[in-house]
Amino acid sequence: MYRILLPLLFLCFCSCQNKATKKSSPNTPPNIVLILTDDQGYQDVGVFGSPNIETPNLDQMASEGVKLTNYYAAQAVCSASRAGLLTGCYPNRIGIHNALGPDNTHGINSEETTIAEMLKTKGYKTAIFGKWHLGHHPEFMPNRHGFDEYFGIPYSNDMWPYHPQQGPIFNFPDLPLYENETVIDTLTEQSQLTTQITERSVDFINRNKENPFFLYVPHPQPHVPLFVSDKFKGKSKRGLYGDVIMEIDWSVGQIMDALKKNGLEDNTIVIYTSDNGPWLSYGNHAGSALPLREGKGTAWEGGQREPFIIKYPNKLQAGKVVDVSVMAIDLLPTLASLTQSKLPELTIDGKDVWKVISGETTKSPQKAYFFYYRVNELFGVRYGKWKMYFPHRYRTMEGQDPGKDGQPGEYRMVDLEEIELYDVENDESETQNIADQHPQIVTEIKLLANDMRSRLGDSLLELEGSETRQPGRLD
């Protein structure tokens, strides 16, 4: 009997040891889950100050991970923001501007390296479930840019025949739902899309628990039109918008549970953020960036500063808050460092900010961050605690009637006529222009801006003795 039992006990012990070693080995490449929402405001998460939207899973994620309070999207509009996130470049460097639609014939260039392509060279399985928005023609689709699996829509969920301004302003075709490069449905409503994206994500995790993976989950919500499944309809004190955020929070919980059940929780980097600020003209169907100024489509804080939570139990101290500025362009080089991947051969703008995120340092490897908009207009610069704006035209809802129940209100345009400077560390709402009080800071930022203009240009200002750069790949 002992001769039988002892070998069995030894085999069980070895099996347990091997599993433990796999789970905790520092040489095991980390899995990566990147969750991106669409048009979510800075305030629209419990731990970021929402007074009326419950987000228990995100709140728990923050308590077990790290919360960044000064994280910026790469730009204040969908396609450009996603281009910067996935390539580590300012979007104007790679010629992606504004929000691509069904009529656009261009998209992400094959010469660019996405996070997915970078990680595939290290043996990662890759998937995107959600909204792509970097070109819908075959050569621009996700499967051609490093993703093994794709399920979702090619551009924004309002680019369909049911847009409230269809006819007078837009003429959108049907909205296709893709499985890889095949259209599997034409969407006439979207209430099950968040659930379907979540189910695909959980299934992908279950199927790939034995090898490293990169799961990119760019939710089409809470971009208008808002849709939510019956399980969350009417649950929030914030109305339909709050219901949508609660369902996305549920989705985060499902993904976290899948990681935990598969023994992957400790060695998985999970990131949650948004592509830009709230679309304020939609009123009660828009999010909130409070206490920040303005929203989507502007370089003010509310346009690009986003909620950001990262969890990585193997490497990050739970419950930490980081106030140092970080931008989406920094994610690719940071993930490259964590996975020991090779950086793209073409010039990128991001830097490895892992030491900032982990709290090892409060000194950013970036001298400054640059806020471009439209095609190639430099609107502002973040420099330490300072945020400076150059003269430009922007949109605002101040003094206007916002939209309601899915119908948009009208913006008014404002001309910023002089340079304005704000101490966003102490005045995050950008209420006190102190440019006159800090001429030296203004001069320092101008020098940084001129250096960036020499590389990326600025269609608002042609430098003396310097050619204004045209859109496209700028190196």
Side-chain angles (χ1 to χ4, degrees):
M1 177 67 72
Y2 288 112
R3 290 180 180 178
I4 297 173
L5 287 176
L6 284 173
L8 287 173
L9 289 170
F10 179 76
L11 287 172
C12 289
F13 174 78
C14 290
S15 175
C16 291
Q17 286 293 98
N18 286 338
K19 287 181 180 179
T21 301
K22 178 184 176 185
K23 184 176 179 181
S24 60
S25 171
N27 297 320
T28 303
N31 306 302
I32 300 164
V33 178
L34 175 55
I35 304 169
L36 184 75
T37 58
D38 197 328
D39 291 2
Q40 185 172 358
Y42 183 81
Q43 192 191 52
D44 297 332
V45 179
V47 291
F48 281 84
S50 178
N52 48 21
I53 305 176
E54 296 181 6
T55 56
N57 293 297
L58 287 169
D59 296 351
Q60 180 178 346
M61 181 180 167
S63 70
E64 296 172 350
V66 175
K67 169 186 168 184
L68 273 63
T69 62
N70 282 269
Y71 168 85
Y72 292 99
Q75 209 176 103
V77 64
C78 298
S79 295
S81 177
R82 291 154 201 271
L85 176 76
L86 288 178
T87 67
C89 297
Y90 283 112
N92 44 323
R93 179 181 291 282
I94 61 175
I96 300 291
H97 318 291
N98 302 309
L100 302 180
D103 292 336
N104 287 112
T105 58
H106 66 288
I108 186 169
N109 195 289
S110 61
E111 294 182 1
E112 305 302 335
T113 301
T114 66
I115 293 174
E117 288 172 307
M118 177 184 76
L119 293 174
K120 278 190 69 65
T121 66
K122 301 294 289 186
Y124 277 67
K125 297 295 184 181
T126 59
I128 168 178
F129 304 130
K131 168 181 160 180
W132 174 237
H133 217 174
L134 290 176
H136 65 283
H137 294 281
E139 64 268 34
F140 307 127
M141 293 290 276
N143 298 97
R144 311 287 180 99
H145 292 273
F147 289 98
D148 299 319
E149 300 179 31
Y150 169 48
F151 170 83
I153 58 177
Y155 30 73
S156 292
N157 68 327
D158 66 334
M159 295 177 177
W160 67 340
Y162 308 100
H163 192 286
Q165 296 170 317
Q166 179 83 346
I169 297 178
F170 300 110
N171 185 27
F172 290 124
D174 291 335
L175 178 62
L177 179 66
Y178 277 85
E179 177 88 56
N180 295 318
E181 296 189 2
T182 301
V183 176
I184 60 172
D185 198 2
T186 297
L187 295 180
T188 57
E189 70 93 41
Q190 303 171 32
S191 62
Q192 296 306 306
L193 201 49
T194 299
T195 298
Q196 291 172 319
I197 288 167
T198 305
E199 291 172 346
R200 298 282 179 136
S201 299
V202 169
D203 177 64
F204 179 79
I205 292 168
N206 292 338
R207 288 187 286 110
N208 289 282
K209 59 187 175 184
E210 298 299 329
N211 50 260
F213 59 79
F214 170 49
L215 171 61
Y216 177 40
V217 189
H219 285 284
Q221 295 289 309
H223 191 291
V224 292
L226 299 179
F227 281 94
V228 69
S229 67
D230 288 341
K231 58 182 174 288
F232 284 96
K233 191 175 294 183
K235 299 293 185 182
S236 171
K237 297 176 183 177
R238 176 62 170 77
L240 180 55
Y241 183 88
D243 296 346
V244 169
I245 298 297
M246 288 182 68
E247 184 161 37
I248 291 173
D249 179 78
W250 163 83
S251 176
V252 172
Q254 295 295 298
I255 290 171
M256 291 298 195
D257 286 347
L259 293 172
K260 188 172 184 178
K261 288 175 182 176
N262 285 290
L264 304 173
E265 183 179 24
D266 289 346
N267 197 42
T268 299
I269 302 166
V270 183
I271 297 170
Y272 181 93
T273 189
S274 181
D275 67 339
N276 50 247
W279 202 344
L280 297 178
S281 65
Y282 277 87
N284 65 336
H285 279 201
S288 170
L290 293 176
L292 308 180
R293 182 173 174 178
E294 297 297 345
K296 173 179 179 173
T298 76
W300 300 100
E301 289 291 274
Q304 286 181 245
R305 201 201 292 193
E306 296 302 317
F308 186 100
I309 304 170
I310 178 170
K311 181 182 175 183
Y312 184 14
N314 271 356
K315 300 281 187 179
L316 290 176
Q317 178 184 342
K320 193 170 184 63
V321 176
V322 172
D323 297 322
V324 182
S325 297
V326 169
M327 188 176 268
I329 58 174
D330 298 321
L331 291 186
L332 183 148
T334 302
L335 294 175
S337 174
L338 290 170
T339 59
Q340 299 180 25
S341 300
K342 182 181 178 183
L343 287 172
E345 293 185 5
L346 295 177
T347 300
I348 66 171
D349 299 292
K351 302 286 186 184
D352 177 5
V353 293
W354 178 249
K355 290 184 179 180
V356 171
I357 292 173
S358 63
E360 185 176 338
T361 182
T362 57
K363 182 176 175 56
S364 173
Q366 296 274 17
K367 291 182 180 179
Y369 289 107
F370 300 88
F371 295 75
Y372 277 88
Y373 194 60
R374 298 194 179 99
V375 175
N376 197 28
E377 298 180 6
L378 180 58
F379 283 3
V381 180
R382 177 73 193 258
Y383 176 55
K385 70 174 185 176
W386 308 101
K387 183 90 175 282
M388 193 173 92
Y389 297 93
F390 294 98
H392 68 275
R393 172 169 284 194
Y394 68 95
R395 67 188 191 184
T396 184
M397 286 305 297
E398 287 186 6
Q400 302 294 98
D401 292 326
K404 186 178 181 182
D405 299 338
Q407 295 291 329
E410 291 290 332
Y411 287 102
R412 69 180 177 90
M413 301 307 295
V414 177
D415 287 313
L416 189 69
E417 297 181 348
E418 302 289 341
I419 283 177
E420 294 191 0
L421 177 72
Y422 297 88
D423 175 358
V424 291
E425 188 175 285
N426 297 298
D427 177 23
E428 61 183 353
S429 300
E430 300 176 295
T431 61
Q432 300 295 320
N433 173 22
I434 51 177
D436 291 343
Q437 301 172 35
H438 298 278
Q440 181 59 37
I441 297 299
V442 171
T443 298
E444 290 175 19
I445 296 176
K446 281 182 177 180
L447 290 173
L448 291 168
N450 285 346
D451 177 65
M452 180 54 76
R453 288 182 181 120
S454 70
R455 288 178 279 143
L456 295 187
D458 183 355
S459 56
L460 277 176
L461 176 67
E462 184 170 350
L463 295 177
E464 184 178 350
S466 176
E467 179 183 354
T468 299
R469 303 296 295 270
Q470 296 301 312
R473 214 322 155 167
L474 304 176
D475 286 319

